[in-house]
Amino acid sequence: MTCRHFLSLLDFSSEDLQQLIEKAMELKTGARQGQLPSVMRGKTLAMVFEKASTRTRVSFEIGANQLGGSALFLSPGDSQMSRGESLADTARVLSSMADLVVMRTLAHERLTEVAQHSQVPVINAMSDTSHPCQLLADILTFVEHRGSITNATVAWVGDGNNVCQSWINAARQFGFNLRVATPPGYEPDSDIVAASKDYATLSDQPEDAVLGADLVVTDTWTSIGMESERADREAIFSNYRVTSELMHQASKDALFMHCLPAYRGKEVDATVIDGPQSVVWDEAENRLHAQKALMFMLLTD
Ligand code: CP
Ligand code: NVA
């Protein structure tokens, strides 16, 4: 049986993604008025997390509950995966009972393998290559604060990592201009950039990237799994910190985003992340509303 998965922003059309953002706004407004559609009544979300999480796990679990369903959490250490049961067999079993599967993994191929053997939709809760659920919340946050993101200018400063790569996919899907500034050698994947070449440009100059931008985004310099590189990265990335001075180069009403967790004094100064241009707490809360819309769409399609 083939079913619709959400492993990348490119798995949905631009129209579907626009619709998802509208649905997220509707669900958010509804939830504040006590309206919680029970589209997941009697349904279960199985969540496999091979690496740490706060926001993603909590938002999926609470989101499933708010939609009338339930979520169960599996870490490899407490399932038979720790004793060598294959991903394919695990996917077959999970999807014979659960209605949705969510997976966070260090190797994106593991997600595609689970999707290949799953009878139900599989959602990417972050891999080494991408973090599409984060982008749903980020776009929702921009739209709430500034209206449509189409034709806006967004600057990414820092590592060309999984979140950056999803921003590149988002630029193409939502039609905005993305300027990515990374140290040489830390650029995003060249195939991902090439596929969005009309929307994303690369440089190693943070000041050029942020000039006149409507939004400035960064992320940790040391993603999960790269801890052994931390000291080297802190030296290499030291000129890629989002400071108040850097924010002054952006548009005067530019927003600041960070997917969190953040490391103040490293990739961002406290004056920025805790300052008036920062929308990071809305961004974090919007994980819940955006993923409820995603589950709603996957289950009602
Ligand atoms: N932004 C994000 O995905 O956070 P967690 O790692 O806490 O889930
Ligand atoms: N790039 C970070 C994002 C964490 C939400 C990581 O992969 O650890």
Side-chain angles (χ1 to χ4, degrees):
M1 171 187 162
T2 55
C3 60
R4 191 179 200 196
H5 303 296
F6 185 69
L7 306 189
S8 157
L9 288 173
L10 305 181
D11 288 343
F12 279 27
S13 67
S14 298
E15 293 70 29
D16 285 346
L17 291 172
Q18 293 288 358
Q19 217 183 325
L20 193 156
I21 299 299
E22 281 160 31
K23 187 77 199 169
M25 289 198 271
E26 181 193 314
L27 290 170
K28 184 172 181 176
T29 309
R32 296 206 160 143
Q33 295 163 352
Q35 292 159 11
L36 298 168
S38 40
V39 67
M40 285 189 73
R41 193 195 304 274
K43 296 191 189 290
T44 304
L45 173 69
M47 307 195 298
V48 180
F49 276 67
E50 297 183 336
K51 45 187 187 176
S53 169
T54 299
R55 280 144 288 272
T56 309
R57 176 180 175 180
V58 170
S59 52
F60 268 117
E61 201 156 330
I62 292 179
N65 289 340
Q66 288 189 359
L67 293 175
S70 57
L72 68 87
F73 181 79
L74 280 169
S75 61
D78 51 38
S79 74
Q80 294 285 12
M81 279 186 280
S82 65
R83 300 182 60 252
E85 185 166 19
S86 75
L87 273 177
D89 289 355
T90 304
R92 288 184 185 105
V93 172
L94 285 181
S95 70
S96 70
M97 296 183 241
D99 302 278
L100 289 170
V101 173
V102 162
M103 185 176 184
R104 173 170 281 198
T105 176
L106 276 168
H108 193 83
E109 315 80 73
R110 293 175 65 75
L111 255 171
T112 46
E113 191 175 350
V114 166
Q116 206 181 339
H117 297 282
S118 173
Q119 303 171 42
V120 301
V122 176
I123 298 171
N124 177 359
M126 191 171 92
S127 70
D128 52 335
T129 68
S130 56
H131 197 359
C133 290
Q134 180 66 48
L135 263 291
L136 299 178
D138 295 356
I139 302 298
L140 171 60
T141 306
F142 187 92
V143 171
E144 284 179 337
H145 283 268
R146 295 285 183 264
S148 171
I149 196 165
T150 302
N151 296 324
T153 298
V154 179
W156 174 276
V157 177
D159 191 14
N161 65 13
N162 45 6
V163 180
C164 173
Q165 294 184 160
S166 284
W167 270 100
I168 295 171
N169 288 339
R172 165 173 160 198
Q173 292 290 58
F174 289 92
F176 58 85
N177 308 308
L178 179 67
R179 301 186 199 137
V180 175
T182 69
Y186 292 87
E187 296 87 358
D189 179 86
S190 55
D191 290 340
I192 293 175
V193 177
S196 292
K197 64 178 175 8
D198 296 336
Y199 300 94
T201 54
L202 305 190
S203 80
D204 58 3
Q205 301 294 322
E207 291 77 12
D208 292 350
V210 302
L211 194 66
D214 302 299
L215 168 65
V216 177
V217 194
T218 191
D219 184 16
T220 181
W221 293 336
T222 308
S223 287
I224 304 174
M226 297 176 178
E227 289 75 8
S228 63
E229 299 173 24
R230 188 185 304 279
D232 287 347
R233 284 175 167 263
E234 287 185 2
I236 292 164
F237 282 81
S238 61
N239 292 329
Y240 291 78
R241 177 173 302 130
V242 180
T243 59
S244 295
E245 293 68 39
L246 193 65
M247 284 302 289
H248 282 138
Q249 306 296 312
S251 159
K252 75 175 178 353
D253 63 351
L255 299 174
F256 170 77
M257 288 190 194
H258 188 311
C259 63
L260 306 178
Y263 301 91
R264 290 168 176 77
K266 305 289 185 205
E267 74 273 10
V268 60
D269 275 347
T271 48
V272 174
I273 193 167
D274 299 320
Q277 290 170 284
S278 171
V279 290
V280 298
W281 309 120
D282 291 342
E283 201 186 344
E285 181 193 327
N286 279 338
R287 297 293 308 277
L288 171 66
H289 308 296
Q291 288 156 208
K292 278 168 71 181
L294 174 63
M295 293 190 284
F296 190 106
M297 282 180 71
L298 289 172
L299 288 170
T300 55
D301 244 9

